Amino acid sequence: MPVSRPASRRSSVRGFYDRFDTRRERRYQRFGVGFGRGTFDNFTGIDGAMVLEEDNPIGNGATYYDTEGAATATAVSPTPDPMSTHDDGSEVSAVCGYEAQFETPLDKKYVCPVCLSALRDPLQTKCGHRFCKVCLTLASGPGNVAKCPLDKLFFDVRSEVFEDVAMKREVLSLLVLCTNLDCEWKGELRLLEEHTDDCPHLLILCSNGCLTHHKRMDADEHHNNCPARLLECTFCQQSVAYKSLNQHQLLLCPRYAIDGPLCGKVGIIREDMPKHTDHKDGDCPKSMVPCKFGAMGCHVQVRRCDLQLHSQESQGLHLDLVLVHYTTQTEHVQEQACTIHELQETCSRLVGQNADADRKIRELSGDVSSLRNELSLATNTNYTGHLQWKVQISSRDFTAPVLSPPFYTSPVGYKLRLCLELRGHVTRSDSYTSIFIMLCKGEHDRNLYFPFSAVCSLTLFDQSDCENHLNTTITCQKMPRPHEVSSTMQRRGRLQFMKTDTLINGRFCKTGTLFFQARVNTLPTAHTT
Ligand SMILES: [Zn+2]
Ligand SMILES: [Zn+2]
Ligand SMILES: [Zn+2]
Ligand SMILES: [Zn+2]
Ligand SMILES: [Zn+2]
Ligand SMILES: [Zn+2]
Ligand SMILES: [Zn+2]
């Protein structure tokens, strides 16, 4: 059955959900900000609602029973829920009533008084009025008590609002038509969305970007002729839109052959053009190139084909330039030679100075090391006639004499040493340790009086807990001036100081170590030098 449709519907390609915003505006114009609420009711737009109520056949006497008489109503709370769920579980934006093209004019009992479209998920209030679930939810706002916009009766949104399943079934069974141009489809409202998803007459925006629409069923035909379809350029193999191919080849394609702009030579590949016109390595006879004598001062630029002519015409000028250049360079070279000669002289002078400096450094290093030795000797040497002597005998050869470090009677006094001989005196039955004080050839002997006379108090320390130290005195009488560095003649002491066994195994030796102390006091002597 052919159905006439409004012109605005014919041109529309949008889904039937898209008109929600327009309908919501219309609803708010009719009912103000929403349903009245409790004692703070500020509802003002009631006049229009009252008019609607008077000719609304669904207003009174509605029941909560479906056609088979079974109780199906359930209490539904219209709390705000901006998202609703499809039958297949996917979430879609909240929408008001169905605004489809119905086959016959819509009976008023199917119309939502808020959005003026066919009821979607209808809810019935205590007073018997029906609204789309979303319309009631959006218009109610927060709180539990709302007021019906049609008859101003209060109801509890938790317990006095019910889903009207029978009405929902009736609405979904209404026959509707597809609004897409030339589509003959007719079916129940519940099937409309499914049809719209597959309708071959739906207009689709071209995916190539040509900004035109084509019917879903005409997609292949359009894509074969679309001005934005991609083609391969036969020269560079790039993908280019059909409508731009000509422009691409004439202006951009790197592999397209063009004419030389200066010489008119035909068939030069566009990307090879810079090589052709290069002023140094190119071969374009018309490109401008500099004269070969540019470095000599001829800054003329001529076309490549005229270069030979310029060279012939300017031979005289070029020779003059070369001569000037040669003269300047010669002077420059002479200046350089002078500078090099001066630098060589400076260099050899510096080499000599460097060798002198090296020699001085070596001498000073020798001085420093001998001073360092003297300093360490002086630091470890006593100049008050006292000696603290630690003797390690555990690993010694007992036949060799053990000499103490030197010590002095004063900073400019006599140089002395102690000498210990562990097998100093050997008899048939025993061997004795001997100890001597030695007068050595010293640094200050020239200013000292000889012969040397002194008394030496010697202590051998007891290293047991008894601390019963051994004290003895050695008298040095009239020892002559020493002439050799070490001479056993210049010594006085005890040949049988102690039995060696007693010394090593007794209380004086601990872990192979002996401790001696010597104090030397010089005696007045006749002033002979
Ligand atoms: Zn509605
Ligand atoms: Zn009501
Ligand atoms: Zn259709
Ligand atoms: Zn297209
Ligand atoms: Zn190309
Ligand atoms: Zn050229
Ligand atoms: Zn020139």
Side-chain angles (χ1 to χ4, degrees):
M1 179 180 68
V3 179
S4 71
R5 299 170 195 172
S8 62
R9 285 281 171 85
R10 284 181 168 276
S11 63
S12 170
V13 294
R14 305 170 69 198
F16 53 84
Y17 298 134
D18 297 348
R19 302 184 192 90
F20 170 62
D21 287 344
T22 318
R23 283 178 286 143
R24 185 163 53 185
E25 277 169 26
R26 204 162 66 209
R27 181 185 68 220
Y28 286 147
Q29 281 164 6
R30 182 176 292 271
F31 296 113
V33 294
F35 285 54
R37 285 268 170 203
T39 54
F40 298 102
D41 179 12
N42 57 359
F43 185 70
T44 54
I46 197 66
D47 291 346
M50 292 307 289
V51 171
L52 187 70
E53 184 190 34
E54 282 163 5
D55 54 15
N56 183 357
I58 66 170
N60 300 310
T63 65
Y64 301 133
Y65 295 90
D66 67 7
T67 51
E68 289 163 296
T72 56
T74 48
V76 174
S77 171
T79 44
D81 175 17
M83 302 295 287
S84 64
T85 306
H86 260 304
D87 292 343
D88 63 359
S90 63
E91 288 187 332
V92 297
S93 294
V95 289
C96 292
Y98 299 106
E99 197 162 305
Q101 173 82 29
F102 290 91
E103 187 189 30
T104 54
L106 200 56
D107 190 312
K108 281 178 183 167
K109 69 176 179 179
Y110 300 131
V111 175
C112 168
V114 175
C115 64
L116 303 182
S117 301
L119 288 160
R120 181 190 295 273
D121 300 325
L123 299 181
Q124 194 177 53
T125 60
K126 180 179 71 171
C127 51
H129 291 130
R130 293 185 183 84
F131 305 92
C132 303
K133 184 177 182 181
V134 171
C135 291
L136 191 58
T137 301
L138 290 175
S140 292
N144 293 326
V145 178
K147 193 168 73 174
C148 175
L150 298 182
D151 51 20
K152 298 171 79 176
L153 287 177
F154 289 98
F155 58 89
D156 188 320
V157 297
R158 293 167 302 179
S159 59
E160 293 171 338
V161 175
F162 305 92
E163 264 182 29
D164 194 338
V165 179
M167 177 58 70
K168 179 175 180 178
R169 191 181 300 133
E170 272 184 56
V171 170
L172 288 175
S173 300
L174 293 171
L175 288 179
V176 293
L177 307 170
C178 177
T179 55
N180 290 331
L181 186 62
D182 299 335
C183 183
E184 305 268 318
W185 183 86
K186 182 172 79 176
E188 291 187 352
L189 175 60
R190 74 180 82 247
L191 300 174
L192 178 59
E193 188 181 344
E194 188 183 319
H195 166 74
T196 306
D197 287 347
D198 294 330
C199 178
H201 295 276
L202 183 71
L203 286 180
I204 298 173
L205 185 64
C206 172
S207 57
N208 286 336
C210 72
L211 302 179
T212 64
H213 292 84
H214 55 78
K215 285 190 175 184
R216 177 180 275 137
M217 62 187 191
D218 297 336
D220 287 347
E221 188 192 341
H222 173 81
H223 286 160
N224 286 336
N225 298 294
C226 173
R229 69 188 188 276
L230 292 179
L231 296 178
E232 187 183 80
C233 170
T234 50
F235 298 102
C236 68
Q237 279 74 46
Q238 285 179 31
S239 291
V240 184
Y242 169 77
K243 63 182 177 189
S244 312
L245 189 61
N246 211 24
Q247 191 185 24
H248 160 78
Q249 290 174 347
L250 288 178
L251 299 177
L252 298 169
C253 180
R255 298 299 302 164
Y256 191 73
I258 54 175
D259 297 346
L262 299 173
C263 62
K265 181 180 172 185
V266 296
I268 302 172
I269 303 296
R270 178 177 274 117
E271 66 185 1
D272 294 340
M273 189 59 77
K275 217 159 71 185
H276 170 69
T277 55
D278 185 76
H279 76 268
K280 203 166 154 223
D281 301 321
D283 57 2
C284 179
K286 299 288 185 184
S287 60
M288 298 298 282
V289 294
C291 171
K292 288 182 285 187
F293 289 86
M296 303 290 140
C298 180
H299 301 301
V300 170
Q301 294 227 350
V302 295
R303 292 187 294 189
R304 179 174 274 112
C305 58
D306 296 335
L307 199 56
Q308 185 103 23
L309 184 65
H310 167 73
S311 293
Q312 287 168 1
E313 286 174 346
S314 308
Q315 270 179 357
L317 173 68
H318 288 162
L319 273 178
D320 286 350
L321 287 171
V322 169
L323 189 62
V324 170
H325 187 73
Y326 171 77
T327 311
T328 315
Q329 290 297 312
T330 306
E331 285 169 4
H332 191 59
V333 167
Q334 280 169 356
E335 281 170 20
Q336 298 282 317
C338 287
T339 309
I340 288 170
H341 182 67
E342 283 168 15
L343 286 173
Q344 279 172 339
E345 284 181 347
T346 308
C347 184
S348 58
R349 196 170 63 242
L350 287 173
V351 168
Q353 286 176 357
N354 195 24
D356 286 351
D358 276 353
R359 191 168 38 74
K360 276 181 191 157
I361 287 171
R362 273 198 300 277
E363 286 171 11
L364 289 171
S365 298
D367 291 352
V368 166
S369 71
S370 67
L371 282 171
R372 197 172 278 154
N373 288 341
E374 283 175 27
L375 181 65
S376 107
L377 209 61
T379 308
N380 297 320
T381 304
N382 184 282
Y383 292 94
T384 61
H386 289 190
L387 176 70
Q388 301 284 345
W389 188 25
K390 175 183 175 183
V391 188
Q392 202 78 39
I393 60 169
S394 54
S395 58
R396 287 221 175 246
D397 171 13
F398 278 21
T399 57
V402 187
L403 290 178
S404 78
F407 64 106
Y408 294 80
T409 55
S410 75
V412 291
Y414 302 93
K415 183 179 183 180
L416 302 168
R417 289 185 121 143
L418 287 186
C419 175
L420 186 72
E421 293 183 5
L422 293 165
R423 294 256 191 278
H425 182 73
V426 181
T427 63
R428 195 170 299 163
S429 55
D430 290 309
S431 82
Y432 291 86
T433 295
S434 311
I435 189 155
F436 304 100
I437 181 159
M438 293 173 62
L439 180 63
C440 306
K441 182 174 165 64
E443 295 82 354
H444 314 293
D445 286 357
R446 254 191 304 153
N447 303 321
L448 295 171
Y449 297 113
F450 287 92
F452 168 74
S453 296
V455 175
C456 174
S457 304
L458 190 69
T459 303
L460 174 60
F461 287 95
D462 178 356
Q463 297 186 62
S464 71
D465 293 338
C466 307
E467 299 190 8
N468 189 10
H469 310 311
L470 175 69
N471 293 304
T472 185
T473 303
I474 299 172
T475 307
C476 305
Q477 280 292 357
K478 297 193 175 174
M479 294 173 78
R481 181 185 295 272
H483 294 291
E484 293 175 34
V485 173
S486 64
S487 163
T488 52
M489 298 308 293
Q490 302 292 342
R491 66 185 199 181
R492 303 285 187 274
R494 300 272 180 275
L495 196 61
Q496 297 183 15
F497 174 62
M498 186 179 289
K499 281 188 182 172
T500 305
D501 273 352
T502 312
L503 180 69
I504 291 172
N505 301 317
R507 64 184 198 273
F508 300 105
C509 184
K510 192 170 184 182
T511 62
T513 307
L514 303 171
F515 284 100
F516 286 97
Q517 178 182 280
R519 291 168 181 273
V520 176
N521 291 309
T522 51
L523 296 174
T525 183
H527 288 189
T528 59
T529 60

